[in-house]
């Protein structure tokens, strides 16, 4: 984050700022979720005790920087990246995760296979990371008027950036952990400064959580626009983007359209032929990017930029063939068994003859050893092939340092997503002219991908029904299917798959039956194509309620049952 020089001096001095004693950090995630090892030494000239830390504007800037750091850890790379994408991508239908049999990562496999139990460490880690971020933001929000501000604009900016960060956190929490009956997640909006307060929490309803997100984002829309504030900060555009996406979830389609339309002019798609450059580290903060998380291997205090863990197969290092498949790759890179790879079934969503994204998005490598890894997408429909696809979005050889880490930002919000959300809102509103408007936004995406425009009359041929959508409501809803398929292709491996399934499920009948049916068909088709790879034939998604993540068992125990478990896990 390219913050002011003054903020840069303090942004890494103290990672988390809490008024209570360090010994209280272990109580529970809903209080601080902190670790005493993460307390860095503050400058004695500007810091005396935790009790009176917030005495000048620079202290609030430092706390806000800590909130951004928390968000990077849970939404972005480092320790959080693969667990975060694991919850949102490989539990979906468009990607698989390759496992080395010698590196089973049991908790990760259970997440991918819907065998999650309340003690699984991966959902617990993400839950804790988001609530840690919420609590850092709450500290800023609660204490903002503890001092006299000479610059009211600075005060308002810090306050609304903290509200934006809190909204991003709850936007993820409420979608991943809300139960099928509409029970949401604990809604904490004030600084929690004692164990007793931390333990006195209950779950709010989904509607209450969404109302808080919308309130925070409406305030955050007063933030400066892109280009008039330091790079890396939240902006009015980022707030309006998330406000539009949240209103989609609440059924306020006119409000969603209003928020998302406000982005026009400030943001635009990169032109045809430049799709992959959206993710190029040399092209950070491009015209399409709305909000990014910053990573740099050379900046102290930032999380590790573990981009390569998403794309490099672990067995390439084991077999000594890494450099043969990835020329110029440092020998220090050993790959990962946590990589995200396209599924076989996602090929049905591509117009492979005309869509430039098919060639732009994937990096194909060939080696005989690949034939033994059936859980990743080989040359389409040839499971025994020695050629496998990796996702090129996150592989930039020129940015790889000698220690194997890769610099570059992670794009969290981008304009293509906004355009497809606009198409979605018009489709769902269904007033006169809405279908034509939705088609226009779809064609914006198609044009950039080098494809001819579609129309109401040609949707059924331009978007043939993929196997895993057969028999669902999208089988006969051509416009809805086109939007869903474009989202699958355009946003592949960017953390949207499971949330798109959930949202489209609610458009269908208000339940998760659509998501359940798609995923059952997906796994049946995996077995037909791949056989019993990684034990997938044992996967049984018995109920739509199983798609909802369990509340971490420690949260229930620590609150003596005030926080209740989701229905499937009771």
């Amino acid at each position: 984050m390219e913050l002011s020089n003054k903020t840069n001096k303090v942004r890494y001095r103290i990672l988390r700022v809490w008024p209570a004693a360090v010994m209280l950090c272990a109580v529970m995630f809903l209080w601080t979720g902190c670790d005493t090892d993460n307390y860095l030494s503050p400058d004695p000239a500007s810091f005396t005790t935790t009790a009176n830390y917030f005495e000048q504007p620079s202290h609030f800037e430092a706390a806000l920087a800590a909130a951004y750091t928390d968000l990077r850890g849970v939404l972005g790379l480092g320790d959080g990246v693969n667990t975060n994408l694991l919850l949102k991508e490989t539990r979906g239908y468009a990607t698989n995760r390759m496992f080395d049999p010698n590196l089973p990562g049991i908790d990760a496999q259970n997440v991918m296979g819907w065998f999650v139990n309340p003690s699984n460490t991966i959902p617990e880690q993400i839950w804790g990371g988001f609530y840690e971020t919420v609590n850092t933001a709450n500290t800023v929000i609660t204490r903002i008027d503890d001092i006299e501000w000479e610059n009211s604009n600075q005060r308002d900016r810090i306050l609304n950036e903290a509200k934006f960060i809190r909204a991003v956190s709850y936007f993820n929490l409420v979608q991943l952990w809300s139960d099928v009956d509409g029970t949401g997640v604990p809604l904490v909006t004030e600084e929690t400064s004692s164990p007793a307060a931390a333990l006195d929490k209950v779950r709010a309803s989904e509607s209450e959580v969404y109302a808080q997100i919308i309130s925070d984002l409406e305030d955050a829309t007063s933030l400066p626009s892109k280009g008039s504030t330091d790079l890396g900060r939240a902006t009015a555009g980022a707030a309006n983007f998330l406000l539009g996406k949240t209103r989609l979830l609440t059924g306020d389609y006119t409000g969603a359209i209003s928020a998302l339309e406000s982005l026009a002019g400030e943001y635009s798609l990169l032109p045809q032929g430049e799709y992959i450059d959206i993710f190029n580290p040399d092209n950070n903060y491009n015209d399409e990017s709305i909000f990014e998380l910053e990573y740099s291997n050379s900046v102290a205090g930032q999380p590790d930029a573990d981009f390569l863990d998403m794309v490099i197969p672990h067995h390439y290092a084991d077999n000594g063939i890494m450099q043969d498949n990835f020329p110029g790759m440092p020998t220090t890179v050993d790959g990962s068994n946590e990589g995200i790879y396209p599924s076989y079934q996602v090929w049905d969503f591509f117009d492979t003859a005309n869509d430039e994204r098919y060639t732009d998005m994937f990096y194909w490598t060939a080696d005989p050893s690949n034939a033994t890894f059936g859980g990743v997408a080989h040359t389409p429909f040839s499971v025994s092939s020695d050629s496998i696809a990796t996702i090129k979005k996150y592989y930039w050889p020129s940015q790889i340092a000698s220690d194997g880490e890769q610099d570059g930002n992670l794009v969290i919000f981008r304009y293509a997503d906004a355009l497809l959300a606009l198409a979605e809102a018009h489709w769902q509103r269904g007033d006169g002219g809405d279908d034509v408007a939705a088609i226009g936004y779809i064609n914006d995406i198609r044009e950039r991908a080098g494809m001819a425009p579609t129309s109401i009359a040609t949707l059924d041929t331009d978007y043939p029904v993929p196997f895993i959508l057969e028999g669902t409501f999208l089988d006969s809803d051509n416009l809805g299917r086109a939007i869903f398929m474009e989202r699958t292709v355009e946003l592949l491996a960017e953390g949207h798959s499971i949330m798109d399934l959930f949202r489209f499920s609610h458009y269908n009948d208000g339940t998760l039956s659509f998501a359940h049916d798609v995923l059952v068909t997906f796994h049946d088709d995996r077995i037909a194509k791949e056989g019993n790879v990684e034990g997938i034939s044992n996967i049984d998604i018995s109920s739509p309620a199983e798609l909802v993540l369990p509340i971490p068992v420690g949260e229930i125990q620590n609150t003596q049952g005030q926080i209740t478990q989701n229905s499937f896990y009771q």
Side-chain angles (χ1 to χ4, degrees), residues 308-320:
L308 299 179
D309 281 352
M310 291 193 231
V311 296
I312 306 298
H314 192 281
H315 69 284
Y316 277 19
D318 291 344
N319 296 345

Side-chain angles (χ1 to χ4, degrees), residues 172-189:
N172 285 274
L173 283 163
V174 72
Q175 291 183 80
L176 290 171
W177 275 278
S178 287
D179 207 352
V180 291
D181 65 355
T183 302
V185 295
L187 184 58
V188 186
T189 58

Side-chain angles (χ1 to χ4, degrees), residues 472-538:
T472 71
F473 82 107
L474 293 182
D475 192 326
S476 57
D477 190 326
N478 293 337
L479 181 55
R481 184 175 69 253
I483 296 168
F484 188 81
M485 292 176 68
E486 281 297 343
R487 289 191 62 82
T488 298
V489 171
E490 177 69 25
L491 304 170
L492 182 68
E494 295 180 41
H496 297 277
S497 178
I498 198 70
M499 290 181 172
D500 284 356
L501 274 178
F502 286 1
R503 194 173 62 258
F504 275 72
S505 287
H506 289 294
Y507 296 152
N508 177 32
D509 61 5
T511 75
L512 292 181
S513 60
F514 167 72
H516 174 261
D517 292 346
V518 168
L519 292 171
V520 168
T521 303
F522 166 67
H523 275 289
D524 287 347
D525 195 44
R526 283 194 68 189
I527 294 168
K529 284 186 169 67
E530 305 168 33
N532 185 21
V533 176
E534 300 156 6
I536 62 172
S537 66
N538 298 321

Side-chain angles (χ1 to χ4, degrees), residues 297-348:
N297 192 48
S298 59
V299 175
Q302 289 195 5
D304 291 336
D306 293 335
F307 287 94
L308 299 179
D309 281 352
M310 291 193 231
V311 296
I312 306 298
H314 192 281
H315 69 284
Y316 277 19
D318 291 344
N319 296 345
I321 55 174
M322 179 73 75
Q323 283 69 39
D324 294 338
N325 286 278
F326 294 88
M329 186 70 68
T331 56
T332 50
V333 175
D334 62 359
S336 172
N337 72 323
E338 299 178 348
I340 306 296
Y341 303 89
S343 68
Y344 288 99
Q345 291 71 20
V346 81
W347 303 134
D348 288 348

Side-chain angles (χ1 to χ4, degrees), residues 257-558:
I257 291 168
S258 176
L260 293 164
E261 282 182 340
S262 72
L263 304 175
E266 187 174 359
Y267 303 93
S268 61
L269 296 178
L270 293 191
Q272 181 181 352
E274 296 184 20
Y275 171 82
I276 201 64
D277 286 329
I278 299 166
F279 314 96
N280 189 337
D282 289 330
N283 199 28
N284 291 335
Y285 304 109
N286 55 68
D287 290 342
E288 185 163 342
S289 173
I290 297 174
F291 182 62
E292 301 183 8
L293 294 175
E294 281 196 340
Y295 297 87
S296 175
N297 192 48
S298 59
V299 175
Q302 289 195 5
D304 291 336
D306 293 335
F307 287 94
L308 299 179
D309 281 352
M310 291 193 231
V311 296
I312 306 298
H314 192 281
H315 69 284
Y316 277 19
D318 291 344
N319 296 345
I321 55 174
M322 179 73 75
Q323 283 69 39
D324 294 338
N325 286 278
F326 294 88
M329 186 70 68
T331 56
T332 50
V333 175
D334 62 359
S336 172
N337 72 323
E338 299 178 348
I340 306 296
Y341 303 89
S343 68
Y344 288 99
Q345 291 71 20
V346 81
W347 303 134
D348 288 348
F349 288 72
F350 280 87
D351 179 351
T352 57
N354 300 298
D355 191 339
E356 293 178 1
R357 292 169 297 189
Y358 179 69
T359 54
D360 290 345
M361 195 180 300
F362 304 114
Y363 182 75
W364 294 85
T365 64
D367 189 85
S369 65
N370 291 331
T372 63
F373 290 88
V376 297
H378 297 60
T379 300
F381 313 119
S382 178
V383 178
S384 62
S385 168
D386 65 2
S387 179
I388 63 173
T390 56
I391 296 171
K392 197 189 297 184
K393 292 179 180 180
Y394 303 114
Y395 172 54
W396 298 94
S398 65
Q399 303 294 324
I400 301 172
S402 59
D403 63 359
E405 299 292 350
Q406 178 175 291
D407 282 353
N409 292 358
L410 190 66
V411 179
I412 303 298
F413 304 154
R414 60 186 181 96
Y415 193 55
D417 189 359
L419 293 178
L420 290 171
L422 277 165
E424 205 173 302
H426 281 287
W427 164 56
Q428 281 298 295
R429 189 172 68 172
D431 289 346
D434 272 335
D435 285 0
V436 173
I439 291 290
Y441 292 120
I442 292 172
N443 281 331
D444 288 340
I445 302 297
R446 289 177 63 89
E447 180 181 0
R448 198 261 295 279
M451 295 189 290
T454 190
S455 66
I456 296 294
T458 62
L459 280 173
D460 59 337
T461 55
D462 291 334
Y463 293 93
V465 182
F467 175 75
I468 63 173
L469 296 183
E470 290 180 2
T472 71
F473 82 107
L474 293 182
D475 192 326
S476 57
D477 190 326
N478 293 337
L479 181 55
R481 184 175 69 253
I483 296 168
F484 188 81
M485 292 176 68
E486 281 297 343
R487 289 191 62 82
T488 298
V489 171
E490 177 69 25
L491 304 170
L492 182 68
E494 295 180 41
H496 297 277
S497 178
I498 198 70
M499 290 181 172
D500 284 356
L501 274 178
F502 286 1
R503 194 173 62 258
F504 275 72
S505 287
H506 289 294
Y507 296 152
N508 177 32
D509 61 5
T511 75
L512 292 181
S513 60
F514 167 72
H516 174 261
D517 292 346
V518 168
L519 292 171
V520 168
T521 303
F522 166 67
H523 275 289
D524 287 347
D525 195 44
R526 283 194 68 189
I527 294 168
K529 284 186 169 67
E530 305 168 33
N532 185 21
V533 176
E534 300 156 6
I536 62 172
S537 66
N538 298 321
I539 291 174
D540 177 21
I541 310 171
S542 60
S543 164
E546 191 173 358
L547 303 180
V548 176
L549 291 169
I551 304 297
V553 66
E555 300 298 274
I556 298 169
Q557 293 172 344
N558 289 336

